[in-house]
Amino acid sequence: MDEILEQTLLYDFYGELLTEHQQKIYEDVVFNDLSYSEVAKEQGISRQGIYDMIKRINRILMGYEEKLHLVEQFLNAKKLAARIHALAENYLAERDMDDIYEIRRLSAEMMELQN
């Protein structure tokens, strides 16, 4: 997965679990594309301190994902939904009953992801 996409998804799912200070620094570096030096000057700490904090935050976010797997489940559900959509479109175009059975199977699999 693209690193920026991965960081975005991890932050979307787990960012609220970070402190406000961590959130601010992470958003400035990752999403607002500020340099470590710019953020360090704004925060009154060293550039190395910002670098270390970003690495620590990334480890924290990855740790949450390793335990909870919310991003993985989201991506799996998204993939299944796309497949269901394609099958439904195909069914509407061709009236293929095999597509209906596949839609039912995939939708049941999606519901199982929620349990």
Side-chain angles (χ1 to χ4, degrees), residues 29 35 38 45 52 54 58 72 78-79 83 85 90 94 100 110-111 113:
V29 171
S35 71
E38 290 171 313
I45 57 179
D52 292 342
I54 294 299
N58 281 327
E72 178 186 347
K78 190 173 174 182
K79 221 182 291 183
R83 180 73 179 124
H85 180 78
N90 189 56
E94 299 180 16
I100 291 297
M110 279 184 75
M111 290 185 288
L113 288 175

Side-chain angles (χ1 to χ4, degrees), residues 1-13 26 29-31 54 58 61-62:
M1 180 182 341
D2 177 77
E3 184 179 347
I4 297 296
L5 175 59
E6 181 178 34
Q7 286 178 313
T8 301
L9 287 172
L10 288 171
Y11 188 80
D12 284 348
F13 279 88
Y26 197 79
V29 171
V30 175
F31 302 122
I54 294 299
N58 281 327
L61 295 174
M62 289 297 289

Side-chain angles (χ1 to χ4, degrees), residues 41-101:
K41 184 176 181 181
E42 180 182 307
Q43 295 295 320
I45 57 179
S46 71
R47 182 190 173 290
Q48 184 65 43
I50 298 297
Y51 175 82
D52 292 342
M53 184 174 285
I54 294 299
K55 289 193 68 86
R56 188 172 345 109
I57 292 168
N58 281 327
R59 281 194 308 272
I60 290 168
L61 295 174
M62 289 297 289
Y64 288 139
E65 178 59 15
E66 287 171 8
K67 290 177 180 79
L68 301 172
H69 305 284
L70 297 178
V71 173
E72 178 186 347
Q73 289 177 10
F74 168 76
L75 292 174
N76 286 338
K78 190 173 174 182
K79 221 182 291 183
L80 289 171
R83 180 73 179 124
I84 288 169
H85 180 78
L87 288 166
E89 291 294 318
N90 189 56
Y91 173 75
L92 290 174
E94 299 180 16
R95 300 282 188 228
D96 185 348
M97 288 306 292
D98 289 338
D99 288 339
I100 291 297
Y101 297 123

Side-chain angles (χ1 to χ4, degrees), residues 84 87 99-109 111:
I84 288 169
L87 288 166
D99 288 339
I100 291 297
Y101 297 123
E102 183 70 1
I103 288 170
R104 290 181 69 196
R105 185 189 71 73
L106 291 172
S107 62
E109 188 176 332
M111 290 185 288

